[in-house]
Amino acid sequence: MNREELEWCVSVPKVELHAHLNGSVRNSTLFELARVLGDKGVIVFSDVENVIMKDDRTLHEVFKLFDLIHILTTDHSTVTRITKEVIEDFAAENVVYLELRTTPKRNDSIGMSKRSYMDAVMEGLRAVSSVDVDYSPAGLKTNTFNGSTRKKMYVRFLLSIDRRESTEAAMETVKLALEMRDLGVVGIDLSGNPIVGNWSTFLPALKFAKEKGLYITLHCGEVPNQEEIKAMIDFFPHRIGHACCFDEENWRKLKSAKIPVEICLTSNIRTETISSIDIHHFVDLYKAKHPLVLCTDDSGVFSTSLSREYNLASSSFGLGKTEMFQLAEIAINFIFADDGVKADLRATFKEAVKKLN
Ligand code: 6MZ
Protein backbone atom coordinates (compact mmCIF):
# COMPACT_ATOMS: atom_id res chain seq x y z
CA MET A 1 0.00 0.00 0.00
CA ASN A 2 1.48 3.32 -1.09
CA ARG A 3 1.73 5.64 1.93
CA GLU A 4 1.22 8.89 0.03
CA GLU A 5 -1.90 7.52 -1.69
CA LEU A 6 -3.30 6.23 1.58
CA GLU A 7 -2.74 9.63 3.21
CA TRP A 8 -4.59 11.26 0.33
CA CYS A 9 -7.52 8.88 0.91
CA VAL A 10 -7.51 9.84 4.60
CA SER A 11 -7.62 13.54 3.72
CA VAL A 12 -10.66 13.20 1.45
CA PRO A 13 -13.96 13.74 3.34
CA LYS A 14 -15.88 10.48 3.37
CA VAL A 15 -19.34 9.08 3.97
CA GLU A 16 -19.63 5.74 5.80
CA LEU A 17 -22.95 3.96 5.35
CA HIS A 18 -22.26 0.33 6.30
CA ALA A 19 -20.47 -0.07 9.64
CA HIS A 20 -21.51 -2.50 12.39
CA LEU A 21 -20.75 -1.17 15.87
CA ASN A 22 -19.47 -4.44 17.34
CA GLY A 23 -17.49 -5.22 14.20
CA SER A 24 -15.71 -1.88 14.38
CA VAL A 25 -14.20 -2.22 17.87
CA ARG A 26 -10.45 -1.64 18.13
CA ASN A 27 -8.39 -4.81 18.70
CA SER A 28 -6.64 -3.09 21.62
CA THR A 29 -10.02 -2.59 23.32
CA LEU A 30 -11.06 -6.19 22.68
CA PHE A 31 -7.80 -7.40 24.26
CA GLU A 32 -8.26 -5.17 27.27
CA LEU A 33 -11.82 -6.43 27.77
CA ALA A 34 -10.70 -10.04 27.26
CA ARG A 35 -7.97 -9.65 29.86
CA VAL A 36 -10.47 -8.40 32.46
CA LEU A 37 -12.86 -11.29 31.76
CA GLY A 38 -9.88 -13.69 31.68
CA ASP A 39 -8.81 -12.53 35.16
CA LYS A 40 -12.36 -13.08 36.41
CA GLY A 41 -12.26 -16.61 34.98
CA VAL A 42 -15.19 -15.97 32.63
CA ILE A 43 -13.09 -16.76 29.53
CA VAL A 44 -9.62 -18.10 28.75
CA PHE A 45 -7.62 -15.11 27.52
CA SER A 46 -5.24 -17.05 25.23
CA ASP A 47 -8.19 -18.69 23.41
CA VAL A 48 -9.68 -15.27 22.75
CA GLU A 49 -6.33 -13.85 21.67
CA ASN A 50 -5.94 -16.58 19.05
CA VAL A 51 -9.40 -15.98 17.64
CA ILE A 52 -9.04 -12.20 17.48
CA MET A 53 -5.61 -12.34 15.84
CA LYS A 54 -6.66 -14.78 13.12
CA ASP A 55 -6.40 -13.00 9.77
CA ASP A 56 -8.60 -14.87 7.31
CA ARG A 57 -11.97 -16.18 8.35
CA THR A 58 -14.76 -17.73 6.37
CA LEU A 59 -18.13 -16.05 6.62
CA HIS A 60 -19.21 -18.82 9.01
CA GLU A 61 -16.21 -18.24 11.29
CA VAL A 62 -16.89 -14.50 11.34
CA PHE A 63 -20.24 -15.10 13.01
CA LYS A 64 -18.56 -17.22 15.69
CA LEU A 65 -16.23 -14.30 16.29
CA PHE A 66 -19.19 -11.96 16.70
CA ASP A 67 -20.61 -14.20 19.41
CA LEU A 68 -17.29 -13.87 21.21
CA ILE A 69 -17.13 -10.10 20.75
CA HIS A 70 -20.65 -9.85 22.16
CA ILE A 71 -19.48 -11.66 25.32
CA LEU A 72 -16.67 -9.09 25.67
CA THR A 73 -18.85 -6.02 25.07
CA THR A 74 -21.92 -7.18 26.92
CA ASP A 75 -22.56 -4.58 29.66
CA HIS A 76 -23.93 -1.05 29.35
CA SER A 77 -20.70 0.76 30.22
CA THR A 78 -18.74 -1.22 27.62
CA VAL A 79 -21.37 -0.49 24.97
CA THR A 80 -20.97 3.21 25.82
CA ARG A 81 -17.19 2.96 25.62
CA ILE A 82 -17.05 1.18 22.25
CA THR A 83 -19.58 3.57 20.72
CA LYS A 84 -17.47 6.57 21.71
CA GLU A 85 -14.28 4.94 20.42
CA VAL A 86 -15.78 3.78 17.14
CA ILE A 87 -17.24 7.23 16.35
CA GLU A 88 -13.93 8.91 17.23
CA ASP A 89 -12.05 6.44 15.02
CA PHE A 90 -14.27 7.26 12.07
CA ALA A 91 -13.89 10.98 12.79
CA ALA A 92 -10.09 10.59 12.75
CA GLU A 93 -10.46 9.05 9.29
CA ASN A 94 -12.18 12.21 8.07
CA VAL A 95 -15.60 10.61 7.89
CA VAL A 96 -18.01 13.55 7.80
CA TYR A 97 -21.22 11.54 7.80
CA LEU A 98 -21.54 8.19 9.54
CA GLU A 99 -24.49 5.81 9.64
CA LEU A 100 -23.61 3.41 12.42
CA ARG A 101 -25.66 0.25 12.72
CA THR A 102 -26.08 -2.00 15.71
CA THR A 103 -28.34 -4.80 16.91
CA PRO A 104 -30.22 -3.74 20.07
CA LYS A 105 -29.67 -6.55 22.56
CA ARG A 106 -31.77 -7.85 25.39
CA ASN A 107 -29.94 -9.56 28.22
CA ASP A 108 -32.16 -10.15 31.26
CA SER A 109 -29.31 -11.44 33.43
CA ILE A 110 -27.73 -7.97 33.51
CA GLY A 111 -30.97 -5.99 33.30
CA MET A 112 -30.42 -4.97 29.69
CA SER A 113 -33.39 -4.24 27.43
CA LYS A 114 -33.14 -3.24 23.78
CA ARG A 115 -33.94 0.30 24.89
CA SER A 116 -31.30 0.38 27.64
CA TYR A 117 -28.75 -1.03 25.17
CA MET A 118 -29.55 1.85 22.82
CA ASP A 119 -29.44 4.37 25.67
CA ALA A 120 -25.91 3.12 26.38
CA VAL A 121 -25.07 3.66 22.69
CA MET A 122 -26.46 7.20 22.87
CA GLU A 123 -24.40 7.91 25.96
CA GLY A 124 -21.29 6.87 24.03
CA LEU A 125 -22.22 9.23 21.23
CA ARG A 126 -22.69 12.12 23.65
CA ALA A 127 -19.30 11.35 25.21
CA VAL A 128 -17.47 11.91 21.92
CA SER A 129 -15.02 14.73 22.48
CA SER A 130 -12.74 14.82 19.44
CA VAL A 131 -15.36 16.32 17.09
CA ASP A 132 -18.73 18.07 17.27
CA VAL A 133 -21.43 15.54 16.52
CA ASP A 134 -24.76 16.37 14.93
CA TYR A 135 -27.01 13.40 15.58
CA SER A 136 -30.53 14.73 15.53
CA PRO A 137 -32.52 14.83 12.29
CA ALA A 138 -34.13 18.01 13.58
CA GLY A 139 -30.65 19.48 13.91
CA LEU A 140 -31.40 20.41 17.49
CA LYS A 141 -29.16 18.03 19.31
CA THR A 142 -25.42 18.27 19.11
CA ASN A 143 -22.68 17.74 21.63
CA THR A 144 -21.14 21.05 20.57
CA PHE A 145 -19.24 22.88 23.27
CA ASN A 146 -19.57 26.66 23.48
CA GLY A 147 -17.48 28.55 20.97
CA SER A 148 -16.02 25.38 19.52
CA THR A 149 -14.28 25.51 16.16
CA ARG A 150 -13.75 21.77 15.96
CA LYS A 151 -14.59 19.60 13.01
CA LYS A 152 -18.23 18.62 12.66
CA MET A 153 -19.49 15.15 11.93
CA TYR A 154 -22.98 13.86 11.32
CA VAL A 155 -23.92 10.57 12.98
CA ARG A 156 -27.12 8.65 12.37
CA PHE A 157 -28.13 5.19 13.58
CA LEU A 158 -29.62 2.15 11.92
CA LEU A 159 -31.05 -0.55 14.17
CA SER A 160 -30.19 -4.04 12.98
CA ILE A 161 -32.48 -7.02 13.06
CA ASP A 162 -30.40 -10.18 13.52
CA ARG A 163 -31.49 -13.06 11.30
CA ARG A 164 -31.68 -15.26 14.39
CA GLU A 165 -34.55 -13.14 15.72
CA SER A 166 -38.28 -13.93 15.63
CA THR A 167 -40.94 -11.78 13.96
CA GLU A 168 -41.88 -10.38 17.40
CA ALA A 169 -38.29 -9.51 18.27
CA ALA A 170 -37.85 -7.85 14.87
CA MET A 171 -41.02 -5.85 15.45
CA GLU A 172 -39.73 -4.74 18.85
CA THR A 173 -36.61 -3.36 17.15
CA VAL A 174 -38.69 -1.45 14.61
CA LYS A 175 -40.86 0.05 17.38
CA LEU A 176 -37.72 1.06 19.23
CA ALA A 177 -36.40 2.74 16.09
CA LEU A 178 -39.62 4.73 15.81
CA GLU A 179 -39.36 5.72 19.47
CA MET A 180 -35.80 6.94 18.97
CA ARG A 181 -36.26 8.94 15.78
CA ASP A 182 -35.56 12.23 17.53
CA LEU A 183 -32.27 10.78 18.74
CA GLY A 184 -30.94 10.14 15.25
CA VAL A 185 -32.28 6.65 14.50
CA VAL A 186 -33.16 6.79 10.80
CA GLY A 187 -33.66 3.23 9.69
CA ILE A 188 -33.49 -0.52 9.94
CA ASP A 189 -30.89 -3.02 8.74
CA LEU A 190 -31.33 -6.76 8.31
CA SER A 191 -28.09 -8.60 9.03
CA GLY A 192 -26.58 -11.64 10.73
CA ASN A 193 -25.59 -15.05 9.44
CA PRO A 194 -27.15 -15.26 5.95
CA ILE A 195 -27.77 -18.99 6.17
CA VAL A 196 -29.92 -18.52 9.28
CA GLY A 197 -33.59 -17.50 9.26
CA ASN A 198 -36.19 -16.88 6.54
CA TRP A 199 -37.12 -13.71 4.73
CA SER A 200 -40.80 -14.30 5.57
CA THR A 201 -39.95 -14.03 9.30
CA PHE A 202 -38.64 -10.47 8.96
CA LEU A 203 -40.95 -9.21 6.25
CA PRO A 204 -43.83 -8.07 8.53
CA ALA A 205 -41.50 -5.93 10.65
CA LEU A 206 -39.70 -4.53 7.60
CA LYS A 207 -43.00 -3.70 5.88
CA PHE A 208 -44.20 -1.92 9.03
CA ALA A 209 -40.94 0.01 9.25
CA LYS A 210 -41.24 1.13 5.64
CA GLU A 211 -44.87 2.17 6.09
CA LYS A 212 -43.82 4.29 9.05
CA GLY A 213 -41.22 6.07 6.95
CA LEU A 214 -38.07 4.44 8.28
CA TYR A 215 -35.31 3.79 5.75
CA ILE A 216 -34.41 0.16 5.06
CA THR A 217 -31.15 -1.48 4.07
CA LEU A 218 -30.78 -5.24 3.73
CA HIS A 219 -27.80 -7.56 3.69
CA CYS A 220 -28.55 -9.14 0.38
CA GLY A 221 -26.80 -11.90 -1.54
CA GLU A 222 -23.95 -12.78 0.80
CA VAL A 223 -24.80 -16.37 -0.12
CA PRO A 224 -26.35 -17.55 -3.40
CA ASN A 225 -29.97 -17.78 -2.23
CA GLN A 226 -31.56 -16.50 -5.46
CA GLU A 227 -35.12 -16.82 -4.23
CA GLU A 228 -34.41 -14.62 -1.21
CA ILE A 229 -32.42 -12.13 -3.30
CA LYS A 230 -35.37 -11.80 -5.69
CA ALA A 231 -37.82 -11.27 -2.81
CA MET A 232 -35.53 -8.67 -1.30
CA ILE A 233 -35.26 -6.68 -4.53
CA ASP A 234 -39.05 -6.90 -4.97
CA PHE A 235 -39.40 -5.38 -1.49
CA PHE A 236 -37.51 -2.40 -2.90
CA PRO A 237 -35.29 -1.43 0.05
CA HIS A 238 -33.62 1.99 0.02
CA ARG A 239 -30.18 0.36 -0.14
CA ILE A 240 -28.67 -3.11 0.01
CA GLY A 241 -25.34 -4.34 1.37
CA HIS A 242 -22.88 -6.66 -0.42
CA ALA A 243 -24.77 -8.05 -3.48
CA CYS A 244 -22.09 -10.71 -4.00
CA CYS A 245 -23.86 -13.87 -5.18
CA PHE A 246 -26.47 -12.70 -7.67
CA ASP A 247 -27.42 -14.79 -10.70
CA GLU A 248 -27.91 -13.01 -14.03
CA GLU A 249 -31.62 -12.53 -13.61
CA ASN A 250 -31.28 -10.89 -10.18
CA TRP A 251 -28.33 -8.85 -11.37
CA ARG A 252 -30.50 -7.44 -14.16
CA LYS A 253 -33.33 -6.77 -11.70
CA LEU A 254 -31.01 -4.94 -9.31
CA LYS A 255 -29.64 -2.74 -12.05
CA SER A 256 -33.03 -1.80 -13.39
CA ALA A 257 -34.30 -1.10 -9.85
CA LYS A 258 -31.26 1.17 -9.32
CA ILE A 259 -31.07 0.25 -5.64
CA PRO A 260 -27.81 1.67 -4.24
CA VAL A 261 -25.27 -0.96 -3.15
CA GLU A 262 -23.00 -0.69 -0.11
CA ILE A 263 -19.73 -2.28 -1.25
CA CYS A 264 -17.41 -3.81 1.35
CA LEU A 265 -14.31 -4.95 -0.55
CA THR A 266 -12.05 -6.22 2.24
CA SER A 267 -14.92 -7.94 4.03
CA ASN A 268 -15.94 -9.79 0.86
CA ILE A 269 -12.37 -10.95 0.17
CA ARG A 270 -11.56 -11.89 3.78
CA THR A 271 -14.74 -13.94 4.15
CA GLU A 272 -14.13 -15.52 0.72
CA THR A 273 -17.57 -14.40 -0.45
CA ILE A 274 -15.68 -13.10 -3.50
CA SER A 275 -12.67 -15.22 -4.46
CA SER A 276 -10.46 -12.42 -5.75
CA ILE A 277 -10.55 -8.63 -5.92
CA ASP A 278 -10.02 -8.70 -9.74
CA ILE A 279 -13.46 -10.23 -10.23
CA HIS A 280 -15.26 -8.08 -7.67
CA HIS A 281 -18.66 -6.82 -8.89
CA PHE A 282 -17.61 -3.25 -8.01
CA VAL A 283 -16.17 -3.00 -11.52
CA ASP A 284 -19.35 -4.01 -13.29
CA LEU A 285 -21.53 -1.72 -11.16
CA TYR A 286 -19.09 1.18 -11.46
CA LYS A 287 -18.93 0.89 -15.25
CA ALA A 288 -22.72 0.69 -15.41
CA LYS A 289 -22.89 3.87 -13.27
CA HIS A 290 -25.02 1.96 -10.79
CA PRO A 291 -25.34 3.82 -7.46
CA LEU A 292 -22.73 2.44 -5.07
CA VAL A 293 -20.81 3.45 -1.97
CA LEU A 294 -17.58 2.06 -0.51
CA CYS A 295 -17.91 0.99 3.12
CA THR A 296 -15.93 -0.87 5.80
CA ASP A 297 -18.52 -3.34 7.18
CA ASP A 298 -16.42 -4.35 10.21
CA SER A 299 -13.24 -2.28 10.36
CA GLY A 300 -12.09 -4.01 13.59
CA VAL A 301 -12.77 -7.58 12.55
CA PHE A 302 -11.26 -7.09 9.09
CA SER A 303 -8.44 -4.73 10.15
CA THR A 304 -9.40 -2.05 7.68
CA SER A 305 -10.54 1.57 7.56
CA LEU A 306 -12.61 3.57 5.10
CA SER A 307 -9.46 5.23 3.72
CA ARG A 308 -7.96 1.78 3.14
CA GLU A 309 -11.09 0.71 1.28
CA TYR A 310 -10.77 3.75 -1.01
CA ASN A 311 -7.09 3.05 -1.46
CA LEU A 312 -7.83 -0.58 -2.29
CA ALA A 313 -10.43 0.40 -4.88
CA SER A 314 -8.04 2.88 -6.43
CA SER A 315 -5.11 0.44 -6.69
CA SER A 316 -7.20 -2.59 -7.70
CA PHE A 317 -9.40 -0.92 -10.30
CA GLY A 318 -7.08 1.80 -11.56
CA LEU A 319 -9.16 4.78 -10.43
CA GLY A 320 -7.41 8.15 -10.29
CA LYS A 321 -7.83 10.89 -7.68
CA THR A 322 -10.62 12.65 -9.58
CA GLU A 323 -12.65 9.45 -9.81
CA MET A 324 -11.99 8.61 -6.15
CA PHE A 325 -13.09 12.05 -5.01
CA GLN A 326 -16.26 11.78 -7.11
CA LEU A 327 -16.94 8.35 -5.66
CA ALA A 328 -16.67 9.75 -2.14
CA GLU A 329 -18.87 12.74 -2.94
CA ILE A 330 -21.60 10.89 -4.81
CA ALA A 331 -22.27 8.80 -1.67
CA ILE A 332 -24.10 11.88 -0.31
CA ASN A 333 -26.98 10.97 -2.65
CA PHE A 334 -27.57 7.67 -0.83
CA ILE A 335 -27.56 8.80 2.81
CA PHE A 336 -30.64 8.43 4.98
CA ALA A 337 -30.84 12.11 5.90
CA ASP A 338 -32.66 15.20 4.72
CA ASP A 339 -31.76 17.67 1.99
CA GLY A 340 -30.33 20.14 4.49
CA VAL A 341 -27.72 17.62 5.60
CA LYS A 342 -26.98 16.74 1.98
CA ALA A 343 -26.49 20.40 1.07
CA ASP A 344 -24.17 20.91 4.03
CA LEU A 345 -22.12 17.85 3.07
CA ARG A 346 -21.87 19.04 -0.54
CA ALA A 347 -20.47 22.33 0.74
CA THR A 348 -17.90 20.39 2.80
CA PHE A 349 -16.76 18.51 -0.30
CA LYS A 350 -16.60 21.75 -2.30
CA GLU A 351 -14.26 23.24 0.32
CA ALA A 352 -12.19 20.08 0.43
CA VAL A 353 -11.64 19.92 -3.30
CA LYS A 354 -10.07 23.40 -3.19
CA LYS A 355 -7.59 22.29 -0.54
CA LEU A 356 -6.78 18.98 -2.21
CA ASN A 357 -6.00 20.49 -5.61
C1 6MZ B 1 -24.03 -10.07 8.00
C2 6MZ B 1 -23.02 -8.94 9.74
C3 6MZ B 1 -21.80 -8.87 9.02
O1 6MZ B 1 -24.94 -5.31 15.58
O2 6MZ B 1 -23.66 -6.36 17.44
N1 6MZ B 1 -22.81 -8.35 10.92
N2 6MZ B 1 -24.12 -9.53 9.24
N3 6MZ B 1 -22.90 -10.05 7.26
C4 6MZ B 1 -21.77 -9.48 7.73
N4 6MZ B 1 -20.66 -9.54 6.93
C5 6MZ B 1 -19.38 -9.96 7.37
N5 6MZ B 1 -20.90 -8.22 9.77
C6 6MZ B 1 -21.55 -7.89 10.94
O3 6MZ B 1 -22.52 -5.77 15.25
C7 6MZ B 1 -22.18 -7.11 14.96
C8 6MZ B 1 -23.31 -7.80 14.23
O4 6MZ B 1 -23.46 -7.24 12.91
C9 6MZ B 1 -23.85 -8.24 11.99
C10 6MZ B 1 -23.94 -9.55 12.77
O5 6MZ B 1 -25.27 -9.76 13.16
C11 6MZ B 1 -23.05 -9.27 13.97
O6 6MZ B 1 -23.38 -10.07 15.09
P1 6MZ B 1 -23.66 -5.33 16.31
O7 6MZ B 1 -23.21 -4.00 16.79
Side-chain angles (χ1 to χ4, degrees), residues 100-268:
L100 189 59
R101 56 186 78 190
T102 192
T103 322
K105 293 164 189 77
R106 184 179 156 185
N107 185 343
D108 293 339
S109 67
I110 56 162
M112 180 183 276
S113 63
K114 287 189 174 186
R115 173 72 203 216
S116 74
Y117 173 91
M118 280 311 297
D119 287 341
V121 167
M122 294 310 301
E123 204 178 317
L125 171 125
R126 283 190 289 266
V128 168
S129 57
S130 64
V131 283
D132 289 340
V133 182
D134 177 313
Y135 62 93
S136 158
L140 298 172
K141 297 189 179 69
T142 71
N143 70 342
T144 313
F145 297 104
N146 281 345
S148 149
T149 52
R150 291 176 308 174
K151 274 199 305 189
K152 179 170 140 190
M153 179 194 201
Y154 287 98
V155 178
R156 299 290 187 263
F157 291 102
L158 303 175
L159 303 196
S160 301
I161 295 169
D162 187 315
R163 297 184 60 113
R164 286 178 291 198
E165 290 184 290
S166 64
T167 303
E168 292 70 34
M171 198 61 100
E172 190 189 343
T173 296
V174 172
K175 287 184 181 152
L176 180 59
L178 291 169
E179 217 177 281
M180 297 189 77
R181 271 178 149 172
D182 283 351
L183 297 169
V185 174
V186 291
I188 296 289
D189 156 56
L190 175 67
S191 54
N193 192 338
I195 58 167
V196 173
N198 289 311
W199 172 243
S200 58
T201 307
F202 318 114
L203 189 56
L206 293 168
K207 261 190 185 157
F208 177 64
K210 212 178 184 196
E211 277 161 24
K212 291 285 177 190
L214 287 166
Y215 289 99
I216 313 281
T217 178
L218 305 172
H219 280 63
C220 178
E222 276 190 285
V223 291
N225 180 346
Q226 302 307 330
E227 212 176 299
E228 182 179 274
I229 294 170
K230 181 177 181 302
M232 283 182 169
I233 302 175
D234 285 340
F235 176 72
F236 214 71
H238 301 92
R239 295 196 307 253
I240 59 166
H242 298 295
C244 297
C245 309
F246 282 41
D247 67 8
E248 268 182 43
E249 175 63 17
N250 278 326
W251 200 236
R252 206 182 41 72
K253 254 175 108 67
L254 172 73
K255 282 186 177 166
S256 73
K258 293 200 166 37
I259 299 168
V261 181
E262 303 149 0
I263 297 274
C264 310
L265 296 171
T266 301
S267 163
N268 296 159

